[in-house]
Amino acid sequence: MSVQTAGAAHRMVHLTSIWHCFIICSAVFISYANVMHAPFLMSWDDADYVVNNTHIRQLSTDNLQNWFSSFYVGNYAPLTMLSFAINYALGGVDPFHYHITNIALHCINSILLYQLTKKLQGNALVAFYTALLFSVHPALTGAVAWISERKTVLCACFSTLSLLAYYHYSTERHLKWLVATLLLMISAVLSKGAAMTLPVCFIAIDVWLGHHPANTKLWLKKLPFFAISLCIGLVAIRSEKADNFLWAHPEYTGWRSLFIASEIYVRSIWHIIVPVGLKVYYPFPENVGIQHTAYTIITILAFSCFIYAIRYKKSIVAGSILFYSANIFLVLQFVQFSTFMMADHYSYFATPAILFPILYYVIRNTRKQLHRLIVYVLLPAAAIALATITYATNDMWKSDYRMSLHLMKENPESAEGAYNAAIISINTGDTTAAKQHFKQATNLAPNHYKAWYHLGVIAAKQNEQDSALMHFNTCLMQYSYTPAYFARSMIYINTHRFAKALTDISIVTAREPDNARAWYISGYCNEHIHNMSAAISDYSYAIANDSNVHLYYKRRGICRATTNKLSEAMSDLNKAISFDSSDGEAWYYRAAVKYSLGLFPCKDLDTAERYGYHINETPEERKVRIAALKKICP
């Protein structure tokens, strides 16, 4: 072949790759176009990760320290929090910026998968369809359309980059690629702890490249990577334990846990191959039945296929089984971490390991005429079908209400189904039905802290203070839920236990320092335990975070008047009256301040009386006050 011909062939290959990447990117953005402007799912962790998370409000060294020293919703993911902080810096709490980042990361992951699979076996069509079907697969919508799953797509991005770096190290043996592999792996595990399985994925790369997995040197060379994985694994378990995300299902321990693991292992494969009837999540079965024996047999057959493929040097099959098994292992519920058994988006990084070998053998081992039918008709049709299903599946991720509706229909007899039926009842104003559904959720899952919280809210609104307090206490025993601390502080205030209320609301202000309402409640508590300087400080924080609420100025003005800071009190009360001129209490205290400053208070007193303000006093005290006022305002 001449140099000119070789150059033309290289340009054609390069142009083909560009077209493939363009098609993959277009497919991703078309498939997820309907969620770009979807709101945050406030009932599904978006509030904790983004909306109410003060640690992402500023790119600062203090927040950097917080990301690396704190757990968020049962996860240790400092780089994920950094990505949210960048989104916040660019667009505040506009969900579009967060959605477009998730979609862009999924697009990048698909392109990286295309590059990796093309390097592993050389066939551009196999790589293209593996990446294309992955990019539009409906089982993965939760990882892309749900903002809180940023950790999954970001982790997958760094993980795939580390696999590419390891591939180059394996084939070129340059130290720079080994360093890049290590750094990218660390980035992956700092995005999500699930990347702790990457050392086994490196072994899968070796197997794909024709090496035998029993080669001791392959494993010894991975020891530094395994050491990092072990450390991250311990941190991940600690994070879930610290935030009470380790859910005990005593009925599924011991040998029964093997049956559950087999079900997850097999059903995840099935949902990748036949993505029909997908759900947001799948509950634990009521009991172990004959189907679990079948799941276990199929799992054993999968491992038998792995041994067969190793023995007969079927490297694509062997590497794929190892890769899939490594990435699905952490969600097999050996360490129980959820109220439900499985979710399809848990298999995000494992999905290519199922698509890749199927497409490899279908495309490479078919006759010419059938090959054309598959490549130019059947596979494009499959991609269009998957993209259509994905677009439709996205509907459930477009609002809390739609998510609740889907969950109720999917699992009406489960705890999450009952919980979401309750949310729908609240949205439709049926408090009685909501209460019944929340109780059903707590009966099915006693550690369902959000259901306990909502029961407390309902009881509080119905003025059942003792019942509300019991529900909030139960919620906080399960999880340190910030809204529950806020709500419980209100119960304590209503029952005049201001010191206890102050303890709870202090937790809220520590976690959400820009929560103006929480600072106001803190100031109110300090005012009632006669700590006026602290009350004034708290009210000032409330005003700093929201300067348009007359109540904050009024309470600070009253505290300043009480501590004889008359000029400052006058300024605050003037501001309060300018916001709400019908507040009789503000008029009354401004009259008192005016009198103390030697000004004429009578008009303000008349206005306070006209708006129905009366201070708490006995009839005798009222007579004395009126007599004194007559001397001032005859």
Side-chain angles (χ1 to χ4, degrees):
M1 182 183 292
S2 67
V3 174
Q4 186 176 5
T5 304
H10 177 75
R11 285 193 297 273
M12 180 60 68
V13 169
H14 182 66
L15 183 62
T16 300
S17 295
I18 292 174
W19 271 110
H20 284 168
C21 292
F22 174 76
I23 293 170
I24 291 168
C25 288
S26 299
V28 169
F29 281 94
I30 291 171
S31 299
Y32 289 95
N34 58 340
V35 292
M36 289 185 185
H37 296 279
F40 291 105
L41 296 181
M42 299 298 286
S43 298
W44 280 72
D45 298 342
D46 286 356
D48 296 322
Y49 273 116
V50 179
V51 180
N52 296 330
N53 185 2
T54 57
H55 292 171
I56 68 166
R57 301 296 170 83
Q58 191 175 9
L59 291 165
S60 65
T61 54
D62 287 341
N63 280 338
L64 185 66
Q65 183 178 353
N66 287 327
W67 302 331
F68 278 89
S69 61
S70 303
F71 302 136
Y72 298 90
V73 200
N75 284 278
Y76 180 69
L79 291 189
T80 298
M81 304 319 296
L82 171 61
S83 74
F84 283 141
I86 293 171
N87 277 144
Y88 188 88
L90 295 174
V93 288
D94 180 358
F96 171 79
H97 295 273
Y98 300 85
H99 280 301
I100 201 69
T101 303
N102 274 27
I103 295 169
L105 283 169
H106 182 55
C107 182
I108 292 169
N109 293 341
S110 302
I111 298 301
L112 292 174
L113 176 62
Y114 171 73
Q115 296 296 333
L116 178 63
T117 50
K118 189 164 70 168
K119 289 178 184 297
L120 287 173
Q121 47 77 49
N123 189 305
L125 281 175
V126 172
F128 170 63
Y129 280 113
T130 299
L132 180 63
L133 297 186
F134 169 83
S135 70
V136 297
H137 204 288
L140 311 181
T141 55
V144 184
W146 184 13
I147 290 171
S148 292
E149 276 301 304
R150 169 71 56 80
K151 55 188 179 288
T152 296
V153 288
L154 183 63
C155 172
C157 183
F158 285 121
S159 295
T160 313
L161 284 169
S162 71
L163 293 174
L164 279 165
Y166 182 76
Y167 167 84
H168 284 289
Y169 173 71
S170 297
T171 55
E172 300 174 22
R173 295 297 173 184
H174 288 313
L175 180 62
K176 65 178 182 179
W177 291 116
L178 182 61
V179 173
T181 302
L182 181 62
L183 292 177
L184 288 165
M185 176 184 166
I186 292 172
S187 298
V189 295
L190 291 178
S191 301
K192 186 179 181 180
M196 64 179 289
T197 60
L198 272 174
V200 182
C201 296
F202 297 149
I203 300 291
I205 293 288
D206 292 326
V207 173
W208 272 323
L209 292 175
H211 300 290
H212 198 288
N215 187 337
T216 307
K217 290 183 179 180
L218 290 180
W219 294 88
L220 290 176
K221 289 178 181 179
K222 310 298 186 300
L223 285 179
F225 298 105
F226 278 109
I228 294 171
S229 291
L230 178 62
C231 293
I232 293 299
L234 294 173
V235 172
I237 293 174
R238 183 183 172 191
S239 68
E240 298 220 344
K241 186 175 182 180
D243 283 351
N244 293 322
F245 275 86
L246 293 180
W247 301 74
H249 298 274
E251 68 274 30
Y252 295 113
T253 54
W255 63 271
R256 288 174 178 264
S257 65
L258 295 175
F259 283 130
I260 295 300
S262 296
E263 179 177 359
I264 298 169
Y265 188 93
V266 174
R267 288 184 69 180
S268 296
I269 295 174
W270 179 251
H271 292 169
I272 293 168
I273 298 173
V274 186
V276 177
L278 301 178
K279 299 180 179 180
V280 179
Y281 74 91
Y282 303 84
F284 280 91
E286 293 184 3
N287 50 60
V288 172
I290 188 67
Q291 71 274 20
H292 290 92
T293 302
Y295 288 135
T296 304
I297 292 172
I298 295 171
T299 303
I300 293 171
L301 286 174
F303 285 100
S304 300
C305 286
F306 174 72
I307 295 170
Y308 174 87
I310 290 297
R311 182 174 180 179
Y312 292 97
K313 297 182 180 180
K314 304 292 184 181
S315 59
I316 296 297
V317 173
S320 297
I321 294 174
L322 181 60
F323 191 93
Y324 173 79
S325 301
N327 285 289
I328 206 69
F329 176 79
L330 294 180
V331 297
L332 295 182
Q333 296 289 357
F334 289 120
V335 177
Q336 294 171 350
F337 61 92
S338 178
T339 56
F340 47 85
M341 182 183 69
M342 62 177 281
D344 288 315
H345 66 265
Y346 289 167
S347 61
Y348 184 88
F349 201 55
T351 296
I354 303 301
L355 298 176
F356 176 42
I358 293 174
L359 292 166
Y360 177 84
Y361 285 104
V362 167
I363 292 175
R364 292 178 65 107
N365 297 317
T366 52
R367 295 178 181 177
K368 188 173 183 181
Q369 191 170 359
L370 181 60
H371 177 272
R372 289 179 178 177
L373 176 65
I374 290 171
V375 170
Y376 299 113
V377 179
L378 297 182
L379 287 177
I384 292 171
L386 291 180
T388 303
I389 297 171
T390 294
Y391 191 89
T393 304
N394 289 338
D395 180 73
M396 70 179 70
W397 299 99
K398 290 166 71 173
S399 71
D400 280 299
Y401 178 77
R402 293 186 184 192
M403 175 60 70
S404 299
L405 197 62
H406 275 278
L407 287 172
M408 185 185 69
K409 291 178 179 178
E410 290 173 0
N411 302 285
E413 301 302 321
S414 69
E416 287 299 323
Y419 174 79
N420 284 280
I423 295 297
I424 291 173
S425 297
I426 287 177
N427 289 333
T428 56
D430 191 347
T431 303
T432 302
K435 189 174 181 178
Q436 291 174 349
H437 289 309
F438 283 132
K439 285 183 177 179
Q440 182 186 359
T442 58
N443 289 335
L444 292 167
N447 46 8
H448 201 305
Y449 68 93
K450 287 186 178 180
W452 286 113
Y453 165 74
H454 283 290
L455 282 171
V457 171
I458 291 172
K461 289 181 178 179
Q462 294 175 344
N463 204 31
E464 299 171 359
Q465 304 292 333
D466 291 339
S467 178
L469 184 60
M470 180 192 72
H471 293 320
F472 291 138
N473 287 341
T474 306
C475 168
L476 291 168
M477 287 172 62
Q478 311 305 322
Y479 177 57
S480 183
Y481 192 42
T482 305
Y485 282 113
F486 187 99
R488 191 170 70 174
S489 73
M490 300 303 295
I491 299 296
Y492 286 141
I493 287 173
N494 292 338
T495 53
H496 304 289
R497 288 177 278 184
F498 295 104
K500 286 190 172 183
L502 183 60
T503 299
D504 277 358
I505 206 65
S506 295
I507 294 172
V508 180
T509 55
R511 294 177 179 179
E512 301 176 3
D514 58 351
N515 187 331
R517 179 70 176 168
W519 283 112
Y520 168 75
I521 297 301
S522 180
Y524 191 82
C525 293
N526 275 311
E527 183 180 347
H528 281 77
I529 61 175
H530 307 294
N531 188 349
M532 294 300 175
S533 60
I536 291 170
S537 176
D538 289 343
Y539 290 138
S540 296
Y541 278 117
I543 291 168
N545 286 292
D546 188 351
S547 59
N548 296 313
V549 180
H550 90 283
L551 202 58
Y552 304 163
Y553 291 100
K554 183 180 77 172
R555 297 310 317 173
R556 188 173 71 174
I558 291 171
C559 289
R560 283 174 166 173
T562 305
T563 55
N564 209 33
K565 298 178 180 178
L566 301 178
S567 297
E568 293 170 326
M570 178 67 79
S571 176
D572 278 344
L573 293 167
N574 285 339
K575 191 78 171 178
I577 290 170
S578 72
F579 280 123
D580 185 0
S581 60
S582 64
D583 190 327
E585 187 180 28
W587 286 103
Y588 176 83
Y589 276 97
R590 193 174 76 167
V593 171
K594 282 185 175 181
Y595 178 73
S596 299
L597 290 170
L599 303 174
F600 190 69
C602 300
K603 183 179 178 181
D604 284 1
L605 289 170
D606 289 341
T607 305
E609 192 80 21
R610 186 168 73 251
Y611 286 120
Y613 177 73
H614 302 286
I615 62 174
N616 294 324
E617 58 189 356
T618 64
E620 188 62 33
E621 288 172 335
R622 180 172 174 79
K623 288 180 182 179
V624 173
R625 180 175 63 83
I626 290 174
L629 286 174
K630 285 181 178 179
K631 294 179 181 180
I632 302 169
C633 304

